[in-house]
Amino acid sequence: MVLEVKDLKKSFEEKCVIDGVSFKIQKGKIVGLLGKNGSGKTTILKMINDLLTIDSGEILVCGETIGVKTKAMISYLPERTYLDNTKTISQVFDFFQDFYADFDRCKAEQLLKELDLDINARLAKMSKGMKEKVQIVLVMSRNAKLYILDEPLGGVDPSTRDHIMKTILSNFSDDASMLITTHLIADVEKILDEVIIIDKSKIVLSGNADELRKKEKKSIDEIFRRIVK
Amino acid sequence: MGYDFDNDTPIYLQIIEHIKMQIINKEFLPNDKLPSVRELSFQYGVNPNTIQKALQELEDIGLIFTERTNGKFVTSNLEIIEKIRQETIDNIIDDFFDSMLKLGLSRNDVMKILNKR
């Protein structure tokens, strides 16, 4: 098991935002964590990445509790950019190379070419879609065990979405696993093995994407709209 | 990503139908090697596990076979291909008649229209 989340709970002051969430991700699977804004998706991801503490419950990544070891195994794309706007792509690559032992610079440079980006371009001069591509390149160029992508398609146009999805798919090895959150369900659902739908701090539905389609004769997008109101 | 899926139907079933079609219309000939799972995953823009599942089913019905370490190939058994072709034709015709009957046409009406074409 690459990721195990057991009876996770989290409150901010008095407000409970995650109320007993449990799920598992097996090796080689791409799992979609789906929920409305404010449903707790990002909070779960932050706890897996040790950016927020857990109130109760347990998270294991490849059998390890959250800490330095698990951070090295996870490649995380946060919802908001953390990159320094004054740097060029090449400088950001240098930084990643220093910081992550599993960063494959050759791969990153090749992906950059495929996405038609100039390695000497400065981030400050890039559009939102271009920056999103740079971040995907960074995240997918690490040889991680678990990739966690928080809204990888947020705010980019449909053609850039296609490029990003292609990059994700063609660089995902079956030794790894992936957890993706998105509200653009229709765009992402065909790459998902499994879906977890959360609403009001709890999991309301989870299962294999194709089996859910078969059972409900509906797309994941429609199933989501029906149960999350 | 060059394939439009209908998200209401399991994607692996749609891939099965698409590959069957390619075998029936001879885009893939008997004994042809199929692209790898990775290539197909990229072509269809879907998860590799979904491709695996589709290929497994095609293998179960005998339309393709695996050669260890070498990849997957279209069967050389023409009877199986003919059987699948016939099934596909029957399915399409059944669906067509269903739709026509829903429109209130009788079998005879439908035959008359077809003959006029």
Side-chain angles (χ1 to χ4, degrees), chain B residues 76-97:
Chain B
S76 56
N77 185 335
L78 297 178
E79 273 171 41
I80 294 182
I81 297 178
E82 180 52 33
K83 195 183 126 218
I84 300 291
R85 193 177 86 96
Q86 207 53 56
E87 274 176 22
T88 308
I89 292 171
D90 287 346
N91 286 339
I92 293 173
I93 292 180
D94 285 350
D95 287 348
F96 167 75
F97 269 108

PDB file of all heavy atoms in Angstrom, chain B residues 76-97:
ATOM      1  N   SER B  76      -4.419 -15.064 -35.034  1.00  0.00           N
ATOM      2  CA  SER B  76      -4.359 -15.447 -36.447  1.00  0.00           C
ATOM      3  C   SER B  76      -5.561 -16.332 -36.777  1.00  0.00           C
ATOM      4  O   SER B  76      -5.718 -16.784 -37.899  1.00  0.00           O
ATOM      5  CB  SER B  76      -3.056 -16.196 -36.722  1.00  0.00           C
ATOM      6  OG  SER B  76      -2.973 -17.296 -35.836  1.00  0.00           O
ATOM      7  N   ASN B  77      -6.390 -16.570 -35.750  1.00  0.00           N
ATOM      8  CA  ASN B  77      -7.569 -17.416 -35.934  1.00  0.00           C
ATOM      9  C   ASN B  77      -8.705 -16.619 -36.596  1.00  0.00           C
ATOM     10  O   ASN B  77      -9.379 -15.819 -35.957  1.00  0.00           O
ATOM     11  CB  ASN B  77      -7.997 -17.942 -34.550  1.00  0.00           C
ATOM     12  CG  ASN B  77      -9.129 -18.927 -34.642  1.00  0.00           C
ATOM     13  OD1 ASN B  77      -9.911 -18.911 -35.599  1.00  0.00           O
ATOM     14  ND2 ASN B  77      -9.228 -19.785 -33.640  1.00  0.00           N
ATOM     15  N   LEU B  78      -8.872 -16.828 -37.893  1.00  0.00           N
ATOM     16  CA  LEU B  78      -9.844 -16.029 -38.643  1.00  0.00           C
ATOM     17  C   LEU B  78     -11.281 -16.308 -38.218  1.00  0.00           C
ATOM     18  O   LEU B  78     -12.144 -15.457 -38.346  1.00  0.00           O
ATOM     19  CB  LEU B  78      -9.685 -16.293 -40.151  1.00  0.00           C
ATOM     20  CG  LEU B  78      -8.323 -15.881 -40.719  1.00  0.00           C
ATOM     21  CD1 LEU B  78      -8.243 -16.220 -42.205  1.00  0.00           C
ATOM     22  CD2 LEU B  78      -8.052 -14.397 -40.511  1.00  0.00           C
ATOM     23  N   GLU B  79     -11.517 -17.523 -37.702  1.00  0.00           N
ATOM     24  CA  GLU B  79     -12.870 -17.852 -37.242  1.00  0.00           C
ATOM     25  C   GLU B  79     -13.295 -16.934 -36.104  1.00  0.00           C
ATOM     26  O   GLU B  79     -14.437 -16.473 -36.068  1.00  0.00           O
ATOM     27  CB  GLU B  79     -12.917 -19.305 -36.744  1.00  0.00           C
ATOM     28  CG  GLU B  79     -13.197 -20.299 -37.857  1.00  0.00           C
ATOM     29  CD  GLU B  79     -13.012 -21.726 -37.366  1.00  0.00           C
ATOM     30  OE1 GLU B  79     -13.436 -22.008 -36.228  1.00  0.00           O
ATOM     31  OE2 GLU B  79     -12.406 -22.524 -38.113  1.00  0.00           O
ATOM     32  N   ILE B  80     -12.367 -16.698 -35.169  1.00  0.00           N
ATOM     33  CA  ILE B  80     -12.703 -15.815 -34.048  1.00  0.00           C
ATOM     34  C   ILE B  80     -12.998 -14.405 -34.555  1.00  0.00           C
ATOM     35  O   ILE B  80     -13.986 -13.777 -34.164  1.00  0.00           O
ATOM     36  CB  ILE B  80     -11.563 -15.779 -33.007  1.00  0.00           C
ATOM     37  CG1 ILE B  80     -11.430 -17.151 -32.350  1.00  0.00           C
ATOM     38  CG2 ILE B  80     -11.839 -14.712 -31.943  1.00  0.00           C
ATOM     39  CD1 ILE B  80     -10.371 -17.235 -31.281  1.00  0.00           C
ATOM     40  N   ILE B  81     -12.163 -13.927 -35.463  1.00  0.00           N
ATOM     41  CA  ILE B  81     -12.375 -12.580 -35.990  1.00  0.00           C
ATOM     42  C   ILE B  81     -13.730 -12.503 -36.693  1.00  0.00           C
ATOM     43  O   ILE B  81     -14.491 -11.558 -36.494  1.00  0.00           O
ATOM     44  CB  ILE B  81     -11.226 -12.163 -36.943  1.00  0.00           C
ATOM     45  CG1 ILE B  81      -9.914 -12.115 -36.158  1.00  0.00           C
ATOM     46  CG2 ILE B  81     -11.520 -10.816 -37.602  1.00  0.00           C
ATOM     47  CD1 ILE B  81      -8.688 -11.771 -36.973  1.00  0.00           C
ATOM     48  N   GLU B  82     -14.055 -13.549 -37.458  1.00  0.00           N
ATOM     49  CA  GLU B  82     -15.334 -13.579 -38.172  1.00  0.00           C
ATOM     50  C   GLU B  82     -16.505 -13.589 -37.179  1.00  0.00           C
ATOM     51  O   GLU B  82     -17.514 -12.910 -37.366  1.00  0.00           O
ATOM     52  CB  GLU B  82     -15.385 -14.804 -39.102  1.00  0.00           C
ATOM     53  CG  GLU B  82     -16.670 -14.947 -39.908  1.00  0.00           C
ATOM     54  CD  GLU B  82     -17.059 -13.685 -40.683  1.00  0.00           C
ATOM     55  OE1 GLU B  82     -16.169 -12.942 -41.137  1.00  0.00           O
ATOM     56  OE2 GLU B  82     -18.284 -13.447 -40.806  1.00  0.00           O
ATOM     57  N   LYS B  83     -16.345 -14.346 -36.097  1.00  0.00           N
ATOM     58  CA  LYS B  83     -17.394 -14.438 -35.087  1.00  0.00           C
ATOM     59  C   LYS B  83     -17.632 -13.059 -34.447  1.00  0.00           C
ATOM     60  O   LYS B  83     -18.776 -12.617 -34.298  1.00  0.00           O
ATOM     61  CB  LYS B  83     -16.967 -15.452 -34.006  1.00  0.00           C
ATOM     62  CG  LYS B  83     -18.115 -15.887 -33.109  1.00  0.00           C
ATOM     63  CD  LYS B  83     -17.618 -16.828 -32.015  1.00  0.00           C
ATOM     64  CE  LYS B  83     -18.024 -16.297 -30.663  1.00  0.00           C
ATOM     65  NZ  LYS B  83     -17.041 -16.481 -29.615  1.00  0.00           N
ATOM     66  N   ILE B  84     -16.545 -12.386 -34.110  1.00  0.00           N
ATOM     67  CA  ILE B  84     -16.662 -11.061 -33.482  1.00  0.00           C
ATOM     68  C   ILE B  84     -17.273 -10.073 -34.477  1.00  0.00           C
ATOM     69  O   ILE B  84     -18.087  -9.225 -34.128  1.00  0.00           O
ATOM     70  CB  ILE B  84     -15.272 -10.549 -33.004  1.00  0.00           C
ATOM     71  CG1 ILE B  84     -14.664 -11.514 -31.986  1.00  0.00           C
ATOM     72  CG2 ILE B  84     -15.370  -9.134 -32.450  1.00  0.00           C
ATOM     73  CD1 ILE B  84     -15.357 -11.581 -30.651  1.00  0.00           C
ATOM     74  N   ARG B  85     -16.898 -10.223 -35.751  1.00  0.00           N
ATOM     75  CA  ARG B  85     -17.432  -9.346 -36.785  1.00  0.00           C
ATOM     76  C   ARG B  85     -18.953  -9.518 -36.859  1.00  0.00           C
ATOM     77  O   ARG B  85     -19.716  -8.557 -36.866  1.00  0.00           O
ATOM     78  CB  ARG B  85     -16.796  -9.689 -38.137  1.00  0.00           C
ATOM     79  CG  ARG B  85     -17.032  -8.658 -39.214  1.00  0.00           C
ATOM     80  CD  ARG B  85     -16.294  -9.057 -40.486  1.00  0.00           C
ATOM     81  NE  ARG B  85     -17.100  -9.958 -41.278  1.00  0.00           N
ATOM     82  CZ  ARG B  85     -17.879  -9.550 -42.300  1.00  0.00           C
ATOM     83  NH1 ARG B  85     -17.880  -8.279 -42.657  1.00  0.00           N
ATOM     84  NH2 ARG B  85     -18.615 -10.399 -42.959  1.00  0.00           N
ATOM     85  N   GLN B  86     -19.367 -10.793 -36.863  1.00  0.00           N
ATOM     86  CA  GLN B  86     -20.799 -11.086 -36.941  1.00  0.00           C
ATOM     87  C   GLN B  86     -21.545 -10.532 -35.727  1.00  0.00           C
ATOM     88  O   GLN B  86     -22.595  -9.918 -35.868  1.00  0.00           O
ATOM     89  CB  GLN B  86     -20.975 -12.616 -37.052  1.00  0.00           C
ATOM     90  CG  GLN B  86     -22.243 -13.030 -37.769  1.00  0.00           C
ATOM     91  CD  GLN B  86     -22.381 -12.362 -39.138  1.00  0.00           C
ATOM     92  OE1 GLN B  86     -21.497 -12.476 -39.983  1.00  0.00           O
ATOM     93  NE2 GLN B  86     -23.462 -11.621 -39.347  1.00  0.00           N
ATOM     94  N   GLU B  87     -20.951 -10.718 -34.554  1.00  0.00           N
ATOM     95  CA  GLU B  87     -21.572 -10.204 -33.316  1.00  0.00           C
ATOM     96  C   GLU B  87     -21.721  -8.695 -33.379  1.00  0.00           C
ATOM     97  O   GLU B  87     -22.748  -8.138 -32.983  1.00  0.00           O
ATOM     98  CB  GLU B  87     -20.684 -10.519 -32.102  1.00  0.00           C
ATOM     99  CG  GLU B  87     -20.930 -11.892 -31.502  1.00  0.00           C
ATOM    100  CD  GLU B  87     -19.946 -12.180 -30.371  1.00  0.00           C
ATOM    101  OE1 GLU B  87     -19.389 -11.209 -29.783  1.00  0.00           O
ATOM    102  OE2 GLU B  87     -19.718 -13.356 -30.091  1.00  0.00           O
ATOM    103  N   THR B  88     -20.680  -8.041 -33.870  1.00  0.00           N
ATOM    104  CA  THR B  88     -20.714  -6.583 -33.937  1.00  0.00           C
ATOM    105  C   THR B  88     -21.801  -6.124 -34.902  1.00  0.00           C
ATOM    106  O   THR B  88     -22.568  -5.205 -34.606  1.00  0.00           O
ATOM    107  CB  THR B  88     -19.331  -6.032 -34.371  1.00  0.00           C
ATOM    108  OG1 THR B  88     -18.345  -6.604 -33.520  1.00  0.00           O
ATOM    109  CG2 THR B  88     -19.269  -4.524 -34.274  1.00  0.00           C
ATOM    110  N   ILE B  89     -21.885  -6.794 -36.044  1.00  0.00           N
ATOM    111  CA  ILE B  89     -22.924  -6.458 -37.025  1.00  0.00           C
ATOM    112  C   ILE B  89     -24.310  -6.657 -36.398  1.00  0.00           C
ATOM    113  O   ILE B  89     -25.174  -5.776 -36.467  1.00  0.00           O
ATOM    114  CB  ILE B  89     -22.787  -7.332 -38.298  1.00  0.00           C
ATOM    115  CG1 ILE B  89     -21.503  -6.964 -39.039  1.00  0.00           C
ATOM    116  CG2 ILE B  89     -24.007  -7.164 -39.220  1.00  0.00           C
ATOM    117  CD1 ILE B  89     -21.143  -7.903 -40.182  1.00  0.00           C
ATOM    118  N   ASP B  90     -24.497  -7.804 -35.734  1.00  0.00           N
ATOM    119  CA  ASP B  90     -25.788  -8.083 -35.101  1.00  0.00           C
ATOM    120  C   ASP B  90     -26.147  -7.014 -34.078  1.00  0.00           C
ATOM    121  O   ASP B  90     -27.287  -6.552 -34.031  1.00  0.00           O
ATOM    122  CB  ASP B  90     -25.764  -9.467 -34.418  1.00  0.00           C
ATOM    123  CG  ASP B  90     -25.799 -10.589 -35.454  1.00  0.00           C
ATOM    124  OD1 ASP B  90     -26.108 -10.300 -36.633  1.00  0.00           O
ATOM    125  OD2 ASP B  90     -25.498 -11.739 -35.086  1.00  0.00           O
ATOM    126  N   ASN B  91     -25.151  -6.642 -33.265  1.00  0.00           N
ATOM    127  CA  ASN B  91     -25.426  -5.630 -32.240  1.00  0.00           C
ATOM    128  C   ASN B  91     -25.876  -4.314 -32.850  1.00  0.00           C
ATOM    129  O   ASN B  91     -26.821  -3.686 -32.376  1.00  0.00           O
ATOM    130  CB  ASN B  91     -24.177  -5.357 -31.395  1.00  0.00           C
ATOM    131  CG  ASN B  91     -23.902  -6.505 -30.447  1.00  0.00           C
ATOM    132  OD1 ASN B  91     -24.806  -7.297 -30.146  1.00  0.00           O
ATOM    133  ND2 ASN B  91     -22.669  -6.618 -29.996  1.00  0.00           N
ATOM    134  N   ILE B  92     -25.180  -3.913 -33.923  1.00  0.00           N
ATOM    135  CA  ILE B  92     -25.521  -2.630 -34.539  1.00  0.00           C
ATOM    136  C   ILE B  92     -26.931  -2.705 -35.139  1.00  0.00           C
ATOM    137  O   ILE B  92     -27.737  -1.795 -34.988  1.00  0.00           O
ATOM    138  CB  ILE B  92     -24.471  -2.233 -35.605  1.00  0.00           C
ATOM    139  CG1 ILE B  92     -23.132  -1.932 -34.913  1.00  0.00           C
ATOM    140  CG2 ILE B  92     -24.939  -1.024 -36.418  1.00  0.00           C
ATOM    141  CD1 ILE B  92     -21.972  -1.697 -35.849  1.00  0.00           C
ATOM    142  N   ILE B  93     -27.243  -3.822 -35.767  1.00  0.00           N
ATOM    143  CA  ILE B  93     -28.566  -3.971 -36.389  1.00  0.00           C
ATOM    144  C   ILE B  93     -29.661  -4.030 -35.318  1.00  0.00           C
ATOM    145  O   ILE B  93     -30.709  -3.384 -35.448  1.00  0.00           O
ATOM    146  CB  ILE B  93     -28.602  -5.211 -37.319  1.00  0.00           C
ATOM    147  CG1 ILE B  93     -27.693  -4.924 -38.523  1.00  0.00           C
ATOM    148  CG2 ILE B  93     -30.035  -5.499 -37.788  1.00  0.00           C
ATOM    149  CD1 ILE B  93     -27.607  -6.033 -39.529  1.00  0.00           C
ATOM    150  N   ASP B  94     -29.387  -4.752 -34.230  1.00  0.00           N
ATOM    151  CA  ASP B  94     -30.355  -4.796 -33.124  1.00  0.00           C
ATOM    152  C   ASP B  94     -30.648  -3.389 -32.601  1.00  0.00           C
ATOM    153  O   ASP B  94     -31.806  -3.019 -32.414  1.00  0.00           O
ATOM    154  CB  ASP B  94     -29.812  -5.648 -31.966  1.00  0.00           C
ATOM    155  CG  ASP B  94     -29.875  -7.141 -32.292  1.00  0.00           C
ATOM    156  OD1 ASP B  94     -30.506  -7.491 -33.311  1.00  0.00           O
ATOM    157  OD2 ASP B  94     -29.290  -7.928 -31.530  1.00  0.00           O
ATOM    158  N   ASP B  95     -29.568  -2.642 -32.377  1.00  0.00           N
ATOM    159  CA  ASP B  95     -29.741  -1.270 -31.869  1.00  0.00           C
ATOM    160  C   ASP B  95     -30.569  -0.443 -32.845  1.00  0.00           C
ATOM    161  O   ASP B  95     -31.441   0.326 -32.459  1.00  0.00           O
ATOM    162  CB  ASP B  95     -28.383  -0.580 -31.685  1.00  0.00           C
ATOM    163  CG  ASP B  95     -27.638  -1.142 -30.483  1.00  0.00           C
ATOM    164  OD1 ASP B  95     -28.265  -1.881 -29.694  1.00  0.00           O
ATOM    165  OD2 ASP B  95     -26.434  -0.839 -30.341  1.00  0.00           O
ATOM    166  N   PHE B  96     -30.270  -0.634 -34.133  1.00  0.00           N
ATOM    167  CA  PHE B  96     -30.965   0.126 -35.173  1.00  0.00           C
ATOM    168  C   PHE B  96     -32.462  -0.203 -35.160  1.00  0.00           C
ATOM    169  O   PHE B  96     -33.307   0.691 -35.128  1.00  0.00           O
ATOM    170  CB  PHE B  96     -30.332  -0.205 -36.539  1.00  0.00           C
ATOM    171  CG  PHE B  96     -31.117   0.261 -37.717  1.00  0.00           C
ATOM    172  CD1 PHE B  96     -31.135   1.607 -38.063  1.00  0.00           C
ATOM    173  CD2 PHE B  96     -31.836  -0.638 -38.495  1.00  0.00           C
ATOM    174  CE1 PHE B  96     -31.858   2.044 -39.158  1.00  0.00           C
ATOM    175  CE2 PHE B  96     -32.566  -0.207 -39.589  1.00  0.00           C
ATOM    176  CZ  PHE B  96     -32.578   1.137 -39.918  1.00  0.00           C
ATOM    177  N   PHE B  97     -32.776  -1.498 -35.118  1.00  0.00           N
ATOM    178  CA  PHE B  97     -34.193  -1.888 -35.093  1.00  0.00           C
ATOM    179  C   PHE B  97     -34.883  -1.377 -33.831  1.00  0.00           C
ATOM    180  O   PHE B  97     -36.014  -0.893 -33.895  1.00  0.00           O
ATOM    181  CB  PHE B  97     -34.344  -3.412 -35.232  1.00  0.00           C
ATOM    182  CG  PHE B  97     -34.478  -3.844 -36.666  1.00  0.00           C
ATOM    183  CD1 PHE B  97     -33.445  -4.499 -37.322  1.00  0.00           C
ATOM    184  CD2 PHE B  97     -35.652  -3.565 -37.370  1.00  0.00           C
ATOM    185  CE1 PHE B  97     -33.563  -4.865 -38.658  1.00  0.00           C
ATOM    186  CE2 PHE B  97     -35.778  -3.945 -38.721  1.00  0.00           C
ATOM    187  CZ  PHE B  97     -34.735  -4.595 -39.359  1.00  0.00           C
TER     188      PHE B  97
END
